[in-house]
Amino acid sequence: MMKNIHKIASITLILLLASCIKSDYDTENCPGYYTITPIVPVELQQTSNEFLQNSNSSVLHPTAEWRKTEVGPDNILEMLRGQYRAYSIKGESNQVEIEKGTVITVNSVNGEAGDPGNLVGGYIDFSVEGGLVDYEVINFDLPTYIQSRELILEVKIEGDNSEMVESISATIGGIALSRDLLNAFIEDGERDRYPSLNTGFVNYGMSDKKEDGFYTDSKRLIGLDGNAKQNLVLTIHYKDGFEKSFNYDVTTDLDGFHTQEVATPWVISIVLRAGADFSA
């Protein structure tokens, strides 16, 4: 969190709360002038400290009341002395909820994660000292972070029986359903996996083969659970109704998912040989 101060260019009239209008002018009971400026994730910035426009923001006031708030460098807020929390989110879908301003949760059905969409966000806690000091405006920068990442699974079937394959399905477990907003996707971050608050899985369905021979599907995740292994169950569905499943521990294949090239999709690529014995 960065804090800086700038002067109001011109003020023609200042409206004070009733508690401020008294002979001794107790500034501690007066509102101060503040701005909250969400900042684009560092990995996505076009310019340094770029303002994240059109975000969905709310502020938790000392009265324990959440208020949806228009924020930004040009939106001056009157705030009384106390402790505040603010969060900003952009790009959320109806599959995502923000709890207490700090926790992101993706909707799930029986443990299967929904689609969080392309999402950035973050939050800060800050103190307001209160009182008007030379009519200055104090700004609080609110850093945001990449909150979801695409995980692509691609599978190629080679061998004598490859033409007998109708489709491929897969499940990956150890997927975060709920976590702190700050445990996001940060390039060269301090920690690759944080424990999630709730854990689930994602399902992949691959019925169309691309020109390069790979069956491909993609899911967007809010993260991995640092307290769980990521296990992949891959099932080949043959045209005659026969099915063959394979189990893989892909935990190490996902090392760096939260900290490496976080603005791009992560790809797991598997090549299987469907010979006469259906071996892999």
Side-chain angles (χ1 to χ4, degrees), residues 33-260:
Y33 289 138
Y34 297 86
T35 56
I36 301 170
T37 305
I39 303 300
V40 172
V42 173
E43 298 83 3
L44 304 178
Q45 289 181 9
Q46 300 296 314
T47 59
S48 178
N49 226 36
E50 182 181 357
F51 167 44
L52 179 68
Q53 301 186 48
N54 302 317
S55 65
N56 182 355
S57 303
S58 293
V59 177
L60 177 64
H61 288 250
T63 57
E65 176 188 6
W66 279 103
R67 300 178 192 172
K68 188 170 183 179
T69 306
E70 292 291 331
V71 298
D74 298 324
N75 287 285
I76 298 175
L77 310 173
E78 287 189 356
M79 307 177 81
L80 292 170
R81 184 173 186 172
Q83 188 69 27
Y84 292 77
R85 170 175 292 162
Y87 77 82
S88 291
I89 296 290
K90 184 174 182 180
E92 72 230 72
S93 71
N94 57 8
Q95 297 281 321
V96 168
E97 297 178 4
I98 306 298
E99 303 171 32
K100 300 179 181 179
T102 64
V103 174
I104 179 173
T105 298
V106 62
N107 291 348
S108 60
V109 178
N110 297 323
E112 181 180 358
D115 180 8
N118 193 359
L119 185 70
V120 301
Y123 70 90
I124 55 170
D125 292 318
F126 60 97
S127 296
V128 165
E129 299 301 328
L132 299 168
V133 182
D134 296 330
Y135 310 133
E136 291 174 341
V137 175
I138 298 176
N139 175 67
F140 293 96
D141 279 354
L142 194 165
T144 65
Y145 307 94
I146 296 173
Q147 295 293 338
S148 65
R149 187 175 189 181
E150 193 176 359
L151 177 58
I152 296 173
L153 179 63
E154 58 178 27
V155 181
K156 178 184 283 189
I157 309 296
E158 297 179 339
D160 297 336
N161 290 322
S162 61
E163 295 304 317
M164 297 174 59
V165 175
E166 182 174 54
S167 64
I168 299 172
S169 62
T171 298
I172 299 179
I175 303 303
L177 299 179
S178 183
R179 61 162 174 78
D180 193 287
L181 274 170
L182 301 186
N183 297 341
F185 297 90
I186 302 173
E187 194 69 24
D188 297 324
E190 295 181 0
R191 184 170 176 178
D192 184 42
R193 288 178 174 89
Y194 288 87
S196 65
L197 301 176
N198 290 293
T199 306
F201 61 91
V202 286
N203 283 328
Y204 289 79
M206 297 166 277
S207 57
D208 296 324
K209 184 165 59 173
K210 298 191 304 181
E211 291 184 1
D212 59 5
F214 279 95
Y215 294 83
T216 303
D217 195 10
S218 173
K219 298 292 179 179
R220 188 171 284 275
L221 314 177
I222 65 167
L224 308 175
D225 182 5
N227 282 343
K229 288 185 175 182
Q230 282 70 51
N231 291 309
L232 165 64
V233 178
L234 187 68
T235 302
I236 303 176
H237 304 270
Y238 289 90
K239 295 176 182 178
D240 61 1
F242 182 81
E243 295 182 355
K244 177 76 172 179
S245 293
F246 304 90
N247 291 277
Y248 301 93
D249 183 347
V250 294
T251 305
T252 57
D253 296 281
L254 288 165
D255 287 347
F257 187 67
H258 279 263
T259 58
Q260 296 177 13

